[in-house]
């Protein structure tokens, strides 16, 4: 494994902050007091050393610290603004018949590379149905897979068969709510470094929801797809190519066709236990 760290000694203060902040204790101070990585295989590629260096003396995998966002005087949402977002967010199940801006989606998905994952494993894949055309094709493939299953020896559970028949007949789309887009975040079940696949996926979709809302895109967690995978695993093998053991979760998205003039009141729904 090649050394990911390149040190500019002319900038290094020998303060040791990078060594102290190294979560896996991979960094060490050498005989001259400079940070060194004697065993690169211990590095978890979290870039903490890169981020914490006060002078930007460390390049990580060729990345120049000058190209990073500077945190000094960085404008961030205030606590009240974040609270207001949480209190007024709604799961949207009515969407406009329009595609979401592709550039906005590309920027959001690229930003999701910063989402935290267990042990910084980053074994995630984003499968994005970004247009009405791609979503409609997926719906068609989904229905076709269900019909092929019905022709076999196994019976579909009623909760899956009935709405599927209605969707096939154009009587509503309970599975995907007529959404023009869907993001499926999956984890690599073959990667031994991935220790928290489900948690990584849910964290990523939570970040996606917030970023989408900030860009005027509404969302809805798609629990039905998760239930379908559990009930009839081969359906998603045929439609998406997932392995039966592939951890995933999906989120619908699109431009909203409805606006809520107020939030709900759920402060008393939180069960709080002080210790």
């Amino acid at each position: 494994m090649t050394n990911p760290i390149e040190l500019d000694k002319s900038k290094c203060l020998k303060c040791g902050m990078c060594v102290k902040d190294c979560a896996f204790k991979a960094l060490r101070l050498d005989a001259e007091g400079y940070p060194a990585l004697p065993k690169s295989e211990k590095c978890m590629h979290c870039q903490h050393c890169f981020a914490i260096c006060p002078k930007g003396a460390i390049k990580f995998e060729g990345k120049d610290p000058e190209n990073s966002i500077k945190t000094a005087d960085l404008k961030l949402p205030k606590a009240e603004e974040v609270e207001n977002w949480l209190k007024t967010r709604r799961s949207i199940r009515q969407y406009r018949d329009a595609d979401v801006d592709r550039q906005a989606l590309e920027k959001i998905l690229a930003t999701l590379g910063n989402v935290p994952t267990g042990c910084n494993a980053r074994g995630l894949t984003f499968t994005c149905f970004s247009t009405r055309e791609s979503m409609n094709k997926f719906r068609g493939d989904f229905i076709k897979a269900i019909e092929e299953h019905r022709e076999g020896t196994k019976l579909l559970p009623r909760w899956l068969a009935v709405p599927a028949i209605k969707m096939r007949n154009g009587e509503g789309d309970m599975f995907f709510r007529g959404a023009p887009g869907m993001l499926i975040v999956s984890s690599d079940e073959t990667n031994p470094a991935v220790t928290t696949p489900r948690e990584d996926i849910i964290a990523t979709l939570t970040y996606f929801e917030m970023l989408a809302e900030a860009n005027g895109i509404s969302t809805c967690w798609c629990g039905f797809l998760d239930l379908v995978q559990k009930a009839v695993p081969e359906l998603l093998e045929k439609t998406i190519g997932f392995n039966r053991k592939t951890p995933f979760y999906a989120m619908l998205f699109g431009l909203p066709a409805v606006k809520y003039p107020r939030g709900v009141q759920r402060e008393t729904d939180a069960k709080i236990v002080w210790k």
Side-chain angles (χ1 to χ4, degrees), residues 125-140:
T125 297
F126 306 151
T127 303
C128 187
F129 295 85
S130 60
T131 65
R132 290 168 294 170
E133 181 181 357
S134 64
M135 271 302 292
N136 287 336
K137 183 182 183 303
F138 173 74
R139 287 185 180 92

Side-chain angles (χ1 to χ4, degrees), residues 108-115 122-129 182-187 200-201 204-205 208 242:
I108 291 170
L109 294 181
T111 301
L112 292 181
N114 294 280
V115 173
R122 312 218 155 268
L124 297 175
T125 297
F126 306 151
T127 303
C128 187
F129 295 85
M182 178 171 64
L183 175 65
I184 303 176
V185 178
S186 56
S187 185
D200 298 345
I201 290 167
T204 301
L205 285 174
F208 173 76
F242 278 178

Side-chain angles (χ1 to χ4, degrees), residues 138 142 176 182 184 222-229 236 248 250:
F138 173 74
F142 182 79
F176 310 110
M182 178 171 64
I184 303 176
C222 188
F224 262 117
L225 202 58
D226 188 56
L227 292 174
V228 168
Q229 172 74 338
L236 293 187
F248 80 94

